[in-house]
Amino acid sequence: MQALIHENNGLDGVVAGATVLSHVDGEAGTLILRGHFLEEIAGRIGFEGIAALLWADLDDSAGDRDAVAGLFGQARVAAFALVPGLLQVTQGLTPIEALRAGLGMLPDEGKLPAHVRACGALQVFLPALLRRAEGKAPVAPDPLLGAAADLLRCLRGQPASASHVRALDTYLTTIADHGFNASTFAARVVASTQAGMISALIAGLCALKGPLHGGAPGPVLDMLDEIGTEARIARWVEEAIRAGDRLMGFGHRVYKVRDPRADVLKSVVRDLGSHAGRLAFAGAVEQAVIATLRRLKPGRRLDTNVEFYTALMLEAVGIPREAFTPLFAVGRSVGWSAHVMEQQRHGRLVRPLSRYIGPTPKAAA
Ligand code: ACO
């Protein structure tokens, strides 16, 4: 098995295809979304706006931001009819496991396009599942609200403040797409077999679930809680890295400098104003982790990734930890579906080769 360790099993640096949707420049620390730097559009065009941008030319039904908002509203209302069945069949499952089942309940064909139905369904299923965990009945969606505002309203049973809506909307926009990351690539592989949109999105969701990809922000807060006080930071971090632990919210396969999404989300937390103490503590942990990684793992170029400030931002808005990864899926669903449509239109069956390093059959030896 030694030879396997030397193979490029993570496909580092491999260009697996072309896309017009997004570009991650890991050396410059920039993210381009269809011709716009993330910082130009985050907090400006809104979640429906980024969906319209990503879906443009790929989806005949979408159109502009308002048109997408209307479609999402219709999709949420349609999906709400499935909520009783979803709650029944997902007893005892975590929210991300239940969302996997929820996407599986959607038929391939329907009145609205499959990607619109799926994105809208995630926006409705998640708050219903989270309310179930608190013993509360689901709240019906309001098709006239934006996705972020309606998700928070359905979660809390009352309208959210404008600042919380803006924060969640910026989060969903910031994480909407990110090149050929693991979940997007998984979705594209399934799309390449012509299995259909819903199957491809389920694949994306399953890949996102893992702690090395979308499952990191909950553990980021667990880490901050475990460290507890400023006085403990240096020792805790040193011991964890020496023990070989992976500190959640740090490191990235492509970014070799700071992830630009981390800065966007950090400023969202700062603007909320209510989380100043936690933000200062997290900043001290971040500095200690970066400095200790530089010292103990020289040359690895490990920096802060999106998940570190995602965790703080979602905590500041009062989102429960078990909702962090499924909420990531709500945002990323528009990117996945854009990639699936691009793959369906322009791609071919994805079928790489492998290099055989097993034993040679006796007859041929
Ligand atoms: N903490 C401590 N050490 C780390 C970390 C980390 N977060 N990340 C990588 N390293 C170390 C590894 O232990 C390894 O050290 P070694 O060479 O001494 O064995 C070295 O850096 C290289 O690690 P790889 O596993 O080869 O790096 P890879 O590119 O595969 O990892 C990944 C990328 C999975 C994101 C990794 O950095 C990690 O596990 N981070 C923590 C989880 C996390 O935050 N995930 C969210 C990523 S963002 C997203 O997907 C939305």
Side-chain angles (χ1 to χ4, degrees), residues 10 12 175 178 181 208 210-217 220 241 244-254 256 259 261 289 293 296-297 300 302-303 305-308 328 332:
D12 305 39
I175 50 106
H178 204 238
N181 58 86
L208 188 76
L212 298 191
H213 188 8
V220 166
I241 295 173
D245 293 353
R246 273 166 192 256
L247 301 189
M248 294 291 139
F250 298 92
H252 196 277
R253 175 61 62 76
V254 184
K256 296 303 164 205
D259 183 334
R261 300 168 299 173
V289 171
L293 284 171
L296 297 183
K297 291 192 177 276
R300 305 296 197 294
L302 301 164
D303 218 313
N305 68 45
V306 65
E307 302 287 44
F308 192 74
F328 194 147
R332 186 54 63 83

Side-chain angles (χ1 to χ4, degrees), residues 223-224 227 233 237 247 249-250 258-259 262-263 266 279-293 302-305 308-309 312:
M223 172 178 76
L224 296 181
I227 297 173
I233 294 175
V237 169
L247 301 189
F250 298 92
R258 196 180 162 81
D259 183 334
D263 287 325
K266 184 177 182 180
L279 188 60
F281 177 64
V285 171
E286 182 189 14
Q287 275 183 12
V289 171
I290 299 296
T292 314
L293 284 171
L302 301 164
D303 218 313
T304 316
N305 68 45
F308 192 74
Y309 284 103
L312 289 200

Side-chain angles (χ1 to χ4, degrees), residues 82 85-87 89-107 118 121-123 125-126 129 132 197-210 322 325-327 329-330 336:
L82 299 174
L86 174 70
L87 296 179
V89 299
T90 58
Q91 297 279 356
L93 299 187
T94 63
I96 190 80
E97 292 166 342
L99 276 193
R100 195 173 56 191
L103 281 183
M105 289 168 65
L106 301 177
L122 292 174
Q123 296 160 22
F125 290 167
L126 179 57
L129 291 161
R132 190 248 316 260
M197 176 64 72
I198 303 293
S199 301
L201 295 181
I202 293 171
L205 184 81
C206 292
L208 188 76
K209 179 172 174 284
E322 64 275 18
T325 308
L327 202 52
V330 171
W336 288 333

Side-chain angles (χ1 to χ4, degrees), residues 46-110:
F47 182 51
E48 285 77 5
I50 192 82
L53 181 70
L54 291 171
W55 292 350
D57 312 326
L58 295 168
D59 168 17
D60 303 331
S61 66
D64 62 9
R65 174 181 180 165
D66 291 342
V68 171
L71 287 169
F72 277 169
Q74 289 179 52
R76 288 199 300 276
V77 170
F80 191 65
L82 299 174
V83 164
L86 174 70
L87 296 179
Q88 203 174 14
V89 299
T90 58
Q91 297 279 356
L93 299 187
T94 63
I96 190 80
E97 292 166 342
L99 276 193
R100 195 173 56 191
L103 281 183
M105 289 168 65
L106 301 177
D108 281 336
E109 299 298 329

